[in-house]
C-alpha cells in the first residue's frame, strides 16, 4: 500500500529541509491519493517541473514507491510551468503542488527509469 499523499508530502518537505532547501505546499490536494507535482524553482526565472510517472513504470516488487518524470529535459520559464500547473489542476482538482527553491536544481525525487 502506498503512503497517503499528505504523509508523503510532509516527509518530502522534511527531506528538503534537512538538505537546506526551502520547500512549501502551494496547493493541498486529496489527502489520501492526490497526484503530487513538484516545482523546483532555480531562482532565476526558470524552474523544473516533476510530474507523477505513468503507472506502467511501477514494479510489482515496489508498488509503494512514488516515481516522477521531468516535464521537460531542461528548465523552463516560470510562466510556462505555471500554465502547465493550471491545466493540471483543471484536469485533476485533487492534485498537490509542492514548490522548492534551489539554485542547483536539487529535487530529491526518485525518477522513473526510461
Amino acid at each position: 500500500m502506498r503512503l497517503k499523499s499528505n504523509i508523503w508530502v510532509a516527509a518530502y518537505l522534511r527531506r528538503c529541509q534537512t538538505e537546506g532547501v526551502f520547500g512549501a505546499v502551494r496547493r493541498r490536494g486529496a489527502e489520501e491519493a492526490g497526484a503530487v507535482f513538484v516545482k523546483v524553482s532555480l531562482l532565476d526565472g526558470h524552474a523544473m517541473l516533476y510530474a507523477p510517472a505513468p503507472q506502467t513504470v511501477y514494479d510489482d516488487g515496489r508498488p509503494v514507491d512514488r516515481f516522477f518524470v521531468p516535464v521537460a529535459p531542461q528548465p523552463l520559464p516560470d510562466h510556462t510551468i505555471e500554465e502547465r500547473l493550471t491545466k493540471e489542476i483543471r484536469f485533476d482538482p485533487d492534485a498537490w503542488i509542492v514548490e522548492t527553491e534551489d539554485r542547483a536544481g536539487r529535487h530529491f525525487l526518485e525518477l522513473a527509469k526510461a
Side-chain angles (χ1 to χ4, degrees):
M1 184 171 183
R2 188 187 294 189
L3 278 177
K4 292 180 181 181
S5 294
N6 63 332
I7 295 170
W8 186 91
V9 167
Y12 176 71
L13 289 173
R14 181 71 168 178
R15 168 78 194 279
C16 291
Q17 181 183 20
T18 62
E19 297 290 340
V21 172
F22 173 76
V25 175
R26 279 194 30 203
R27 184 177 195 285
R28 245 181 198 290
E31 291 198 10
E32 298 287 327
V36 180
F37 291 84
V38 177
K39 176 183 175 185
V40 179
S41 175
L42 303 177
L43 302 171
D44 66 355
H46 291 81
M48 290 291 294
L49 180 62
Y50 297 91
Q55 292 294 318
T56 56
V57 303
Y58 286 86
D59 180 3
D60 290 338
R62 294 174 61 186
V64 299
D65 294 339
R66 286 186 187 253
F67 294 106
F68 291 83
V69 293
V71 169
Q74 300 297 321
L76 298 172
D78 274 327
H79 66 87
T80 304
I81 300 284
E82 292 303 320
E83 289 169 2
R84 171 70 185 261
L85 289 172
T86 299
K87 290 177 186 175
E88 292 292 347
I89 296 306
R90 267 192 250 128
F91 177 74
D92 180 8
D94 292 335
W96 290 71
I97 299 175
V98 176
E99 185 167 348
T100 64
E101 296 178 343
D102 188 54
R103 290 186 195 284
R106 297 177 296 162
H107 54 75
F108 314 110
L109 300 168
E110 282 198 66
L111 299 181
K113 294 180 179 29

